[in-house]
Amino acid sequence: MHIAVITIFPEIFKAYLNESIMKKALNKEIVKIDIHNLRDFTSDKHKTVDDYPYGGGPGMVMKPEPLSNAIRHIKSDGIDTLTIMLTPQGRLFTQKVAEELSAEKRRLLLICGRYEGIDERIRETLVDDEISIGDYVLTGGELPALVIIDAVVRLLPGAVGDENSLREESFSWGILDYPHYTRPPEWQGLKVPEVLLSGNHKQIALWRRKEALKRTLKRRPDLIEKARLSEEDYKLISEIKEENDGFHKRN
Ligand code: ADE
């Protein structure tokens, strides 16, 4: 996969991409990431990338010229490119969008906005997609771009050591993860659930599935409606609901 980024803070990317799984994926050439400094595409002495908004109001707007120069320069190599702008006005980034982008054959070009946003004419003419990582406002698109890079790259074949850990990931079904335990079997009087020590893989898988559903019902019931659930899952959900009813009747 090939990713390009336009930012005024290239160092932010270098720091994060130089660690852990991202670093390994880059070294193994599973992904290639080019970071472009927007200031390199300005033509004035002060390398100005922003200006006052027409119509007044607070904040600054990113000028069209440097952005258009940068985008055109990157695209001048003729590689098919999907240009994505990071903005709170975009469509919401979810695991499904991460999967969609990880399967993308085109190069991803991520544009990190700063200030109040970019000149609307750039969005209209040069941007294919707009993505938000959540309903809150950050100071710029750099963290959102890194969030997207991280979520997308770890889905690429060979990026994460154990492929099974991706396949088994509950979020790939759209529900929350089950509880995890490691040694010792008893810590400060708290025991690891018996079933996990049993060696019975079928029972373990069933227990995990039920715990994941239990958590999702309790913490994020909204996810249950959209989740990819099996017949067995619905049975487990009925069991959980019956157990809860029993609990409420008893107490
Ligand atoms: N830029 C500022 N806030 C953002 C958000 N929540 N998502 C994407 N880009 C942003």
Side-chain angles (χ1 to χ4, degrees):
M1 163 155 270
H2 190 173
I3 302 175
V5 177
I6 299 175
T7 173
I8 54 169
F9 295 114
E11 298 304 318
I12 293 177
F13 290 85
K14 288 179 191 152
Y16 190 76
L17 298 175
N18 201 26
E19 301 286 348
S20 180
I21 294 189
M22 296 301 119
K23 182 181 185 172
K24 283 194 197 127
L26 286 163
N27 288 343
K28 286 200 248 173
E29 297 185 9
I30 289 166
V31 63
K32 176 177 186 289
I33 304 179
D34 303 319
I35 309 295
H36 300 270
N37 189 340
L38 184 62
R39 294 201 194 274
D40 295 341
F41 298 91
T42 53
S43 43
D44 63 313
K45 195 171 81 191
H46 297 106
K47 299 186 185 289
T48 314
V49 292
D50 59 334
D51 206 341
Y52 293 99
Y54 273 126
M60 300 293 272
V61 177
M62 289 179 89
K63 288 162 69 64
E65 206 59 33
L67 276 169
S68 126
N69 289 342
I71 297 169
R72 287 184 207 287
H73 166 79
I74 291 165
K75 287 189 183 171
S76 68
D77 59 12
I79 295 174
D80 205 6
T81 301
L82 177 68
T83 304
I84 302 170
M85 164 86 202
L86 287 320
T87 161
Q89 278 72 246
R91 66 181 172 126
L92 198 61
F93 187 65
T94 59
Q95 190 63 21
K96 196 153 169 267
V97 178
E99 284 167 19
E100 176 194 312
L101 294 179
S102 72
E104 192 47 73
K105 293 284 169 274
R106 289 171 285 182
R107 168 176 55 193
L108 305 181
L109 168 54
L110 305 176
I111 303 178
C112 306
R114 279 266 148 187
Y115 319 110
E116 293 305 307
I118 66 167
D119 188 287
E120 185 68 8
R121 292 163 294 184
I122 290 290
R123 200 190 62 74
E124 274 173 15
T125 55
L126 294 170
V127 173
D128 304 312
D129 195 1
E130 292 168 75
I131 294 182
S132 162
I133 63 157
D135 293 334
Y136 39 80
V137 182
L138 301 166
T139 53
E142 282 75 13
L143 288 173
L146 279 171
V147 165
I148 291 174
I149 291 171
D150 190 294
V152 168
V153 168
R154 69 186 285 283
L155 292 176
L156 299 174
V160 171
D162 182 2
E163 303 267 322
N164 288 329
S165 72
L166 285 184
R167 221 169 305 130
E168 277 185 20
E169 212 165 56
S170 60
F171 240 108
S172 59
W173 287 292
I175 62 171
L176 302 183
D177 204 1
Y178 51 79
H180 298 265
Y181 296 88
T182 186
R183 285 185 292 184
E186 186 172 337
W187 176 76
Q188 297 196 347
L190 301 169
K191 288 193 171 123
V192 172
E194 204 66 52
V195 61
L196 297 178
L197 311 174
S198 69
N200 183 335
H201 296 295
K202 219 169 146 204
Q203 284 301 315
I204 292 171
L206 197 65
W207 181 86
R208 285 182 166 164
R209 193 73 191 159
K210 190 168 172 180
E211 290 301 310
L213 288 165
K214 218 183 262 181
R215 270 192 174 174
T216 313
L217 281 165
K218 190 157 181 228
R219 300 182 191 179
R220 293 291 307 278
D222 57 302
L223 292 178
I224 293 283
E225 271 141 55
K226 291 178 271 170
R228 293 169 245 185
L229 300 180
S230 65
E231 282 296 313
E232 191 173 35
D233 290 329
Y234 287 109
K235 260 193 236 151
L236 291 171
I237 289 175
S238 304
E239 267 179 46
I240 295 166
K241 287 190 171 157
E242 274 165 31
E243 284 163 18
N244 283 347
D245 284 351
F247 176 82
H248 289 306
K249 279 193 197 119
R250 280 194 305 277
N251 292 281

